Amino acid sequence: MTWLRVEPNAEMREEQEAKMTITTKFTEMFGIEHPIVQGGMQWVGRAELVAAVANAGGLGFLTALTQPTPADLANEIAKTRELTDKPFGVNLTILPSINPPPYDEYRQVIVDAGIKIVETAGSNPAPHLPMFHDNGIKVLHKCTSVRHGVKAQSLGVDGISIDGFECAGHPGEDDVPGLVLIPAAAKQIEIPMIASGGFADARGLVAALALGADGINMGTRFMCTIESCIHQKVKGAIVAGDERGTELIFRSLRNTSRVASNAVAREVVEILSDGGQFEDVKNLVAGVRGRRVFDEGDLDAGIWTVGTVMGLIDDIPTCDELISSIVSEAEELIAGLNERVLHTQPRVHARELVHD
Ligand SMILES: Cc1cc2nc3c(=O)[nH]c(=O)nc-3n(C[C@H](O)[C@H](O)[C@H](O)COP(=O)(O)O)c2cc1C
């Protein structure tokens, strides 16, 4: 038999390129097209955003606790399903709280609604795993240290999202940025793992893959998209902001949170640094005030969560534009890196120079 090699013409090349995508063990495990995740975001992770991420081939998570009651979460899941037929998940954040929300009821809604992917965060996912796994739900656990990732892996979660110090929200207390945290975690995590905190573009995705992750999780970058429901002024502040525009609040309470640096956040930092306690800042950090920032665009109404990656964000694209450009530019970058390595001049060793 003779094999005929057909050289692709421009049209065939275009078709091949359109089909090219970055497949990793994360995309395989969670049944998505691209290794790009939109993590849970309080007040932001709603139906329109999550569906837009799903339609673009990424994995979006509704934020369970953004919905005031478990019944509201059921409605939000139904609304998301009207907007997409692609897979999406629900984030369940379990944080210490004086009046804890009814986690078990939210969990029951997730199961009853037939959701197949859950992102857990905030504390040990163990109490929730049996019910999720018994109902065929895959669990992606987000954590900020290698030891917590290893622990979650041993408990049987299906994937790890490892969140570096750069991240918006809760970076933990170890202050280890992604450049060290991701490869340190990759040494010990065998299940699919994505890198989180500080990602916004193709360079980040390629770097995450090189550091040993199977994809990326982004929060701040997805906040600043057309389909994100927050006020345009907040998106404008993210575009205008740079990598120095955040504060770490609650350090002395060992519940550190990275938020936008505004008058309220700076006041909280000052009060706590002077020995103040939670009671002294309780009113300043009230959730209702933070929510006004997102709803009304009053940037100094309260504290609002954002990451250092603001410094890399200078536009407000649709989720489809964002995800497809990250994937296609990442492919170009990977090919380009290879070329750069091949074209490197042979090294002249110092010893050879001495002998010359
Ligand atoms: C406005 C906002 C709210 C967030 N709320 C939550 C939350 O409720 N639960 C959670 O697990 N992570 C939350 N996060 C963290 C993100 O899921 C993600 O881990 C983080 O944003 C990654 O860092 P990046 O912003 O640098 O991409 C939030 C992030 C933002 C920007």
Side-chain angles (χ1 to χ4, degrees), residues 39-42 44 63 91 93 119 121 142 163 166-169 196-199 217-221 223 294 305-309:
M41 283 183 277
Q42 185 67 332
V44 184
T63 310
N91 163 286
T93 303
E119 179 190 55
K142 187 164 60 188
D163 219 0
E166 300 89 338
C167 74
S196 175
F199 294 98
N217 176 52
M218 305 193 293
T220 303
R221 177 63 276 198
M223 264 176 106
F294 291 147
T305 305
V306 75
T308 54
V309 76

Side-chain angles (χ1 to χ4, degrees), residues 240-314:
D242 68 25
E243 61 279 10
R244 298 164 303 169
T246 70
E247 298 287 338
L248 293 169
I249 59 168
F250 301 155
R251 285 246 86 161
S252 56
L253 307 177
R254 293 194 61 77
N255 185 23
T256 301
S257 188
R258 189 183 291 285
V259 298
S261 178
N262 63 7
V264 186
R266 289 190 292 270
E267 195 180 339
V268 172
V269 170
E270 204 180 309
I271 293 171
L272 292 177
S273 321
D274 288 347
Q277 294 303 310
F278 182 72
E279 278 303 313
D280 303 315
V281 295
K282 197 172 154 189
N283 291 334
L284 289 170
V285 301
V288 280
R289 291 183 59 162
R291 199 166 165 192
R292 273 182 44 214
V293 176
F294 291 147
D295 290 351
E296 296 164 24
D298 176 355
L299 297 170
D300 279 316
I303 55 160
W304 57 282
T305 305
V306 75
T308 54
V309 76
M310 253 193 309
L312 302 180
I313 297 173
D314 49 23

Side-chain angles (χ1 to χ4, degrees), residues 122-168:
S123 62
N124 190 326
H128 306 277
L129 281 180
M131 189 166 173
F132 286 144
H133 279 161
D134 287 351
N135 287 281
I137 296 172
K138 292 204 165 77
V139 176
L140 174 66
H141 183 65
K142 187 164 60 188
C143 52
T144 56
S145 71
V146 177
R147 63 190 184 284
H148 290 145
V150 169
K151 172 82 185 165
Q153 174 174 255
S154 74
L155 290 171
V157 301
D158 304 278
I160 297 289
S161 183
I162 192 90
D163 219 0
F165 184 53
E166 300 89 338
C167 74

Side-chain angles (χ1 to χ4, degrees), residues 53-65:
V53 172
N55 286 332
L59 175 57
F61 285 98
L62 287 175
T63 310
L65 302 183

